[in-house]
Amino acid sequence: MRKIILITIFVISSGFLFSQSFDGGLLVGVIASHTTGTYVGDAPGSYNNGSLFNKSFSKPGITVGFFTNLFFTPRSALDFEISYTQKGSRKIPKSNDTIPGQVYETRLNLHYITIPIHYKFIASNRVTMFVGPNLGILIGHKHVQDYMDYSYMYDDLSKLDLAIDLGAEIYIIDQLILNLKYSATFFLTPIRSYNNSNTWSYGPFNKLFWQKGQCNQLFAISIRWVFMGNRDFSLR
């Protein structure tokens, strides 16, 4: 992880040499996430009967970090970030969950250091759109079913999560930005693969080209405070 962070710092530093202006600051936000293929079946630790897969963005989380925008033209920029981000899935009990032996509560907590690089198009004086890759480095995980810890079931997760981000920003004022983002793991590099050699081949996932395994998805809303830089806002 240290090498990846050092490479990111080098790329950002190189960008300063070629950009006309820059700004940066702190970000803090909330997340609604979902990890595809999260098991919420009929017995903790069992994969033999009636598996269900959570499909709702019901896992709350937070993101906190730093960002830098390097402006190359009045309408284009690169955004570099380093942040702590929570991902995962959860299933909460329902009033009709009364069948004996069923799993009524499950939660998968995934903790990442994320390093996105976004291309930004400055559409208007107050609106910016962005897209780009996002590298997540797994630093911890916990999986709980019906208040029992089954974290070992996810010990084989990939340490890296390569995602694609898409979103927009709205300048509330020149130093305060509202950021709206959707992020999803790139389907060819899942955080955990489905294949015929293990229990995770259950279901249709090993039959579809675009469903290679478990992937993270999230919606994020963050506030960004710009407190450094030499950007001339008259450029917008």
Side-chain angles (χ1 to χ4, degrees):
M1 184 175 73
R2 182 181 300 177
K3 290 183 179 179
I4 295 176
I5 293 177
L6 289 176
I7 291 173
T8 302
I9 294 174
F10 173 76
V11 172
I12 295 175
S13 300
S14 300
F16 280 117
L17 298 177
F18 298 97
S19 64
Q20 297 179 356
S21 60
F22 75 96
D23 64 24
L26 300 174
L27 67 93
V28 59
V30 294
I31 290 171
S33 66
H34 161 58
T35 301
T36 61
T38 304
Y39 180 80
V40 291
D42 50 9
S46 171
Y47 300 91
N48 297 321
N49 301 300
S51 297
L52 301 174
F53 294 93
N54 184 10
K55 297 181 179 180
S56 64
F57 290 83
S58 56
K59 166 66 171 59
I62 62 170
T63 182
V64 180
F66 305 89
F67 71 93
T68 299
N69 294 309
L70 306 178
F71 298 89
F72 296 96
T73 74
R75 295 295 180 185
S76 64
L78 284 180
D79 167 38
F80 299 89
E81 302 175 17
I82 297 179
S83 59
Y84 164 70
T85 303
Q86 296 176 341
K87 304 181 184 181
S89 283
R90 76 168 179 172
K91 174 183 181 290
I92 57 177
K94 299 180 180 178
S95 59
N96 60 349
D97 286 341
T98 58
I99 302 175
Q102 287 286 328
V103 172
Y104 299 131
E105 188 273 344
T106 185
R107 181 184 292 265
L108 174 63
N109 296 319
L110 303 178
H111 305 274
Y112 287 92
I113 298 297
T114 53
I115 307 174
I117 301 176
H118 299 144
Y119 169 75
K120 289 187 171 181
F121 173 68
I122 303 169
S124 70
N125 288 342
R126 292 295 173 186
V127 177
T128 297
M129 297 178 290
F130 63 86
V131 65
N134 187 334
L135 178 63
I137 304 169
L138 184 69
I139 59 174
H141 72 279
K142 188 172 184 179
H143 180 51
V144 175
Q145 287 186 351
D146 287 341
Y147 311 105
M148 298 292 291
D149 191 344
Y150 291 90
S151 298
Y152 69 89
M153 295 162 56
Y154 282 83
D155 287 344
D156 59 346
L157 284 173
S158 172
K159 299 300 181 182
L160 299 179
D161 179 17
L162 178 60
I164 304 298
D165 292 352
L166 177 68
E169 290 184 337
I170 300 173
Y171 281 79
I172 302 172
I173 59 176
D174 286 349
Q175 279 70 44
L176 198 63
I177 305 169
L178 175 66
N179 182 287
L180 308 172
K181 179 175 72 175
Y182 170 74
S183 179
T185 301
F186 184 51
F187 68 97
L188 291 178
T189 58
I191 61 172
R192 194 184 200 188
S193 297
Y194 297 117
N195 57 63
N196 291 323
S197 63
N198 59 40
T199 57
W200 290 97
S201 63
Y202 181 90
F205 298 98
N206 59 344
K207 301 176 182 177
L208 300 178
F209 174 77
W210 57 89
Q211 291 182 315
K212 298 294 185 180
Q214 288 187 267
C215 297
N216 289 314
Q217 302 176 28
L218 64 84
F219 291 99
I221 301 176
S222 62
I223 293 293
R224 295 164 184 245
W225 173 42
V226 180
F227 63 85
M228 65 177 186
N230 62 357
R231 184 185 182 188
D232 182 1
F233 280 89
S234 64
L235 291 176
R236 292 188 291 109

